[in-house]
Amino acid sequence: MELQAPLRQLADKIQLLKEKIETEESTKHAFVLPFINALGYDTFNPLEVVPEYVADLGIKKGEKVDYAIMQEGEPILIIECKHWKEKLSVHGSQLFRYFHVSKTRFALLTNGIQYQFFTDLDEKNKMDERPFLEFDITHLRDAMIHEIGKFHKSSFDVNKILDNASALKYIKEIRKQIDAEVEHPSPEFVRLFASRIHTGRMTEKVMEEFTELVQKAFGQMIG
């Protein structure tokens, strides 16, 4: 399985063509289908990739999701696509409804550039509101390519992905908290470092001084 080259090529293609892609349908064909192909699935084989996948939702019959990747006759990943200029929002997404009635454990919301993978970590058979895996295909790091590779046809394993999904989700949230603390250090965060360095009383003036120092220190590390 070699993912790096096809994903880099797709990223280059997106940068070259995106301004000429004017519709959601064009986004699917130019950006999303090549991504599915890169994962090893034959987009021309309806046993592997079903476009306009139909799932009956209670009294609403014939509702469709853009694509379903199949394995042994069952969907393993359902995909909803947007135009590449659209921002992704899972609220109001059909994925919520499809996830509940299908046997899949994974859903993908994408505009061909931004990708958000969801599962049901919070409540079984109900799609989480937050993705466990999220990336911009035009800015991929090797570590992220490794995570995407878990969805490749040659290595797809539901249990392994689920085991890893929880860790990915919490790491993502931890990084958000760290970013927030670096940007605007909370008193608790500042006190953590000040108490290990400053030997005197933790006065308001000392806290103000260390707030600035902590912010500068992390800024230098990141820069």
Side-chain angles (χ1 to χ4, degrees):
M1 176 189 68
E2 171 51 45
L3 260 184
Q4 189 171 48
L7 290 181
R8 301 290 188 203
Q9 289 169 5
L10 179 55
D12 291 342
K13 177 183 177 182
I14 289 170
Q15 298 286 27
L16 183 66
L17 296 180
K18 65 181 182 180
E19 296 301 333
K20 296 180 174 65
I21 302 299
E22 298 180 352
T23 66
E24 181 182 300
E25 203 63 29
S26 297
T27 300
K28 294 179 191 176
H29 288 283
F31 301 161
V32 180
L33 286 178
F35 177 79
I36 295 173
N37 274 323
L39 292 181
Y41 300 98
D42 183 356
T43 54
F44 294 102
N45 182 351
L47 298 179
E48 289 190 7
V49 181
V50 179
E52 299 293 304
Y53 180 72
V54 177
D56 290 336
L57 305 173
I59 61 173
K60 294 186 72 175
K61 304 297 183 182
E63 291 286 306
K64 300 174 182 178
V65 69
D66 291 310
Y67 298 105
I69 295 179
M70 311 295 287
Q71 187 179 80
E72 298 179 357
E74 297 291 348
I76 58 172
L77 175 64
I78 56 175
I79 304 171
E80 182 177 342
C81 306
K82 303 293 183 184
H83 182 254
W84 71 269
K85 287 185 178 179
E86 282 191 58
K87 292 184 178 181
L88 298 182
S89 174
V90 75
H91 296 288
S93 166
Q94 294 188 77
L95 285 178
F96 269 121
R97 302 193 295 275
Y98 284 118
F99 194 96
H100 180 67
V101 299
S102 75
K103 293 184 178 180
T104 186
R105 298 296 302 276
F106 305 106
L108 167 61
L109 180 62
T110 181
N111 60 11
I113 298 176
Q114 302 291 333
Y115 285 76
Q116 296 180 348
F117 284 83
F118 298 83
T119 187
D120 55 352
L121 294 174
D122 296 333
E123 186 177 340
K124 191 171 182 181
N125 205 34
K126 181 180 178 182
M127 196 178 91
D128 298 337
E129 290 197 11
R130 295 182 180 180
F132 70 90
L133 183 64
E134 185 173 11
F135 58 87
D136 180 326
I137 199 168
T138 62
H139 297 90
L140 284 179
R141 295 183 177 180
D142 290 344
M144 185 57 71
I145 293 175
H146 176 73
E147 296 301 332
I148 298 169
K150 292 182 171 66
F151 283 91
H152 195 278
K153 180 182 175 181
S154 65
S155 56
F156 185 88
D157 184 305
V158 172
N159 293 325
K160 287 182 179 179
I161 298 175
L162 287 173
D163 287 344
N164 194 48
S166 180
L168 286 175
K169 178 181 177 181
Y170 290 122
I171 287 171
K172 178 183 174 184
E173 294 305 316
I174 289 170
R175 291 187 64 174
K176 282 185 179 179
Q177 292 298 320
I178 292 174
D179 288 343
E181 289 288 2
V182 170
E183 188 73 22
H184 301 289
S186 66
E188 294 81 7
F189 191 66
V190 172
R191 194 179 297 276
L192 172 67
F193 295 98
S195 63
R196 297 180 181 184
I197 300 168
H198 184 69
T199 55
R201 289 179 60 245
M202 206 65 64
T203 63
E204 185 176 339
K205 183 178 179 181
V206 170
M207 286 293 291
E208 287 179 359
E209 180 182 356
F210 269 91
T211 296
E212 185 177 344
L213 292 173
V214 167
Q215 201 164 18
K216 284 184 178 179
F218 274 92
Q220 290 173 5
M221 288 174 62
I222 295 171

